[in-house]
């Protein structure tokens, strides 16, 4: 746990912002409607509040998403890089898509995968020799774990929670636990991108 604490403190109290870090575990419920063509994500905390909503662009429906806070202010913009074999995504601050506002990028670890594995590189890691975070798992595998770099230090994990009601109404229910001092807006952004990559692989 101490190694994890030291690593996260090295990110200056937040990758997207210190307001999204807490000194305790943050549990989030994510509900995804599966019987719809459009995005339908809802994120709620243990108090029933919705810290984030997801907005898609009509012009680039498959490749551009904006994560909004509870007040409707853009937190980050998620954009898939076109014509890339590894499904590379760029995440920018606010509603920007300018490289100077890049926060992190993400890509599949390898071109052919039996199990989903994603490498995450923060903006300053331009050489990309070693990833800053790694995502293992997928929606289909019913679970996902996010690690700090190539280590075994877990920073967040997601597990599927099925209920009779969710199955009846075509919804996927997931519980996400974000560990202390980990930016939960960053984790939500990773999970949204994971969903997009999984959908593309399924086509």
């Amino acid at each position: 746990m101490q190694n994890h604490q030291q690593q996260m403190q090295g990110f200056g109290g937040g990758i997207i912002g210190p307001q999204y870090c807490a000194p305790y575990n943050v549990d989030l419920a994510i509900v995804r409607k599966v019987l719809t063509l459009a995005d339908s994500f809802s994120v709620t905390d243990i108090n029933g509040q919705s810290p984030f909503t997801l907005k898609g662009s009509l012009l680039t429906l498959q490749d551009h998403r904006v994560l909004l806070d509870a007040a409707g202010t853009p937190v980050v913009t998620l954009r898939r890089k076109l014509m890339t074999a590894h499904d590379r995504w760029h995440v920018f601050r606010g509603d920007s898509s300018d490289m100077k506002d890049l926060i992190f990028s993400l890509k599949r670890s390898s071109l052919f995968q039996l199990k989903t594995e994603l490498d995450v590189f923060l903006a300053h890691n331009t050489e990309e020799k070693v990833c800053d975070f790694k995502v293992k798992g997928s929606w289909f595998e019913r679970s996902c774990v996010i690690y700090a770099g190539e280590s075994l230090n877990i920073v967040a994990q997601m597990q599927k929670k099925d209920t009779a009601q969710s199955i009846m109404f075509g919804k996927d229910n997931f519980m996400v636990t974000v560990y202390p001092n980990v930016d939960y807006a960053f984790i939500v952004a990773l999970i949204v991108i994971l969903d997009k990559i999984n959908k593309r692989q399924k086509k």
Side-chain angles (χ1 to χ4, degrees), residues 96-109:
S96 174
S97 56
D98 193 316
M99 289 303 291
K100 69 179 176 59
D101 295 315
L102 181 70
I103 301 174
F104 68 90
S105 63
L106 175 156
K107 68 181 180 101
R108 280 190 287 157
S109 302

Side-chain angles (χ1 to χ4, degrees), residues 44-61:
T44 54
D45 61 22
I46 57 173
N47 299 314
Q49 303 296 314
S50 298
F52 305 109
T53 56
L54 187 65
K55 184 178 77 171
S57 168
L58 293 177
L59 295 177
T60 53
L61 189 60

Side-chain angles (χ1 to χ4, degrees), residues 29-172:
I30 296 182
V31 178
R32 183 187 68 148
K33 289 184 180 177
V34 292
L35 301 178
T36 178
L37 295 175
D39 279 324
S40 185
F41 262 79
S42 67
V43 182
T44 54
D45 61 22
I46 57 173
N47 299 314
Q49 303 296 314
S50 298
F52 305 109
T53 56
L54 187 65
K55 184 178 77 171
S57 168
L58 293 177
L59 295 177
T60 53
L61 189 60
Q62 292 299 318
D63 305 306
H64 184 192
R65 299 290 183 277
V66 180
L67 192 68
L68 308 172
D69 66 13
T73 304
V75 178
V76 289
T77 294
L78 322 172
R79 184 181 288 272
R80 187 176 72 86
K81 188 176 180 182
L82 298 176
M83 306 299 289
T84 172
H86 287 262
D87 273 323
R88 179 178 283 272
W89 285 73
H90 288 146
V91 177
F92 303 92
R93 194 166 301 282
D95 58 0
S96 174
S97 56
D98 193 316
M99 289 303 291
K100 69 179 176 59
D101 295 315
L102 181 70
I103 301 174
F104 68 90
S105 63
L106 175 156
K107 68 181 180 101
R108 280 190 287 157
S109 302
S110 59
L111 191 57
F112 301 104
Q113 296 182 330
L114 294 176
K115 290 190 175 183
T116 305
E117 190 169 308
L118 308 175
D119 290 340
V120 183
F121 303 96
L122 299 182
H124 62 75
N125 186 359
T126 54
E127 291 189 358
E128 298 188 354
K129 289 182 178 178
V130 179
C131 64
D132 296 293
F133 295 90
K134 187 176 285 287
V135 182
K136 293 184 179 182
S138 72
W139 296 94
F140 309 135
E141 295 164 37
R142 304 170 65 87
S143 67
C144 160
V145 180
I146 301 170
Y147 299 90
E150 299 285 356
S151 73
L152 295 178
N153 292 327
I154 297 173
V155 298
Q157 50 189 335
M158 176 180 75
Q159 289 190 324
K160 190 171 185 179
K161 302 290 185 183
D162 279 330
T163 65
Q165 187 180 29
S166 69
I167 294 170
M168 184 182 300
F169 290 101
K171 294 179 179 180
D172 278 343

